[in-house]
Amino acid sequence: MPDPVIDPDLPGIWIIPGEAFTYEIDDEGNYHVAAPPQPLTVGKDGQGMVWGTVRLERIGGTEAAPIGAWRAVDTGDEGLFQADGNVLQRGSDGTRTTGIWVLDAAASTLWTREYRGQLETDGARVQFHLAADGSVTYGYTVDAGAWILLDATSWEKLVEYHRAPGPEGAAR
């Protein structure tokens, strides 16, 4: 199977003004989503932690948190934080995602970025092959630091992304 075609103007980090998430597209068309770092508090016994507003209980591992397997108390979602910085997540609905994590011990925050799927473009349309939800196609334009998704039928504007400020948003 040939590699997907990706518009060379899409790789980089994108934001939607007023939204806290970042959307990253790499040179191969892999699509990632990241929330801002969230405060992390680990219980004295290392068997529980609170990440943002999510209470987690350890279900595996004995290494220093967040390394190990964890289950969200309220939702049943599970995450396996590996020592190499990878994270595997399984939702209580069976969906699975992969990603990376970074602990900022000085700030007591934990950041994750999840792989969501693969993009392909043909110059007028972008197709998202989403790991959890199948495929969806939009019209698009990308120019001067703006990426606009359009309804594939009516060509009405749906959402506008902007390049993240600084070198992290720059095209690769």
Side-chain angles (χ1 to χ4, degrees):
M1 179 173 185
D3 290 335
V5 176
I6 184 72
D7 187 313
D9 291 329
L10 283 179
I13 298 176
W14 299 89
I15 60 172
I16 297 173
E19 189 176 289
F21 291 88
T22 59
Y23 305 88
E24 182 176 354
I25 300 167
D26 67 22
D27 293 330
E28 289 78 38
N30 294 305
Y31 176 61
H32 306 272
V33 178
Q38 296 292 309
L40 181 70
T41 305
V42 179
K44 290 183 183 185
D45 63 0
Q47 296 302 302
M49 62 182 184
V50 177
W51 177 27
T53 60
V54 178
R55 293 180 307 130
L56 299 147
E57 61 186 6
R58 185 183 290 274
I59 57 173
T62 58
E63 295 172 283
I67 298 171
W70 300 87
R71 181 179 296 126
V73 172
D74 295 334
T75 65
D77 294 346
E78 296 178 356
L80 174 61
F81 290 82
Q82 299 173 319
D84 65 1
N86 286 304
V87 61
L88 308 171
Q89 297 172 308
R90 182 175 62 203
S92 57
D93 61 0
T95 58
R96 296 175 185 262
T97 59
T98 60
I100 60 174
W101 65 272
V102 175
L103 174 66
D104 182 340
S108 299
T109 61
L110 179 64
W111 172 85
T112 60
R113 182 191 77 186
E114 294 179 14
Y115 171 79
R116 293 291 176 90
Q118 183 79 32
L119 299 185
E120 288 186 73
T121 61
D122 68 7
R125 290 182 169 73
V126 58
Q127 187 170 29
F128 289 73
H129 301 284
L130 302 173
D133 300 321
S135 295
V136 63
T137 301
Y138 300 98
Y140 83 98
T141 63
V142 60
D143 187 41
W147 174 29
I148 300 171
L149 292 184
L150 307 162
D151 180 280
T153 305
S154 70
W155 295 94
E156 290 182 43
K157 179 178 169 181
L158 299 174
V159 66
E160 183 171 334
Y161 299 85
H162 293 259
R163 267 217 199 267
E168 62 276 358
R172 294 188 167 94

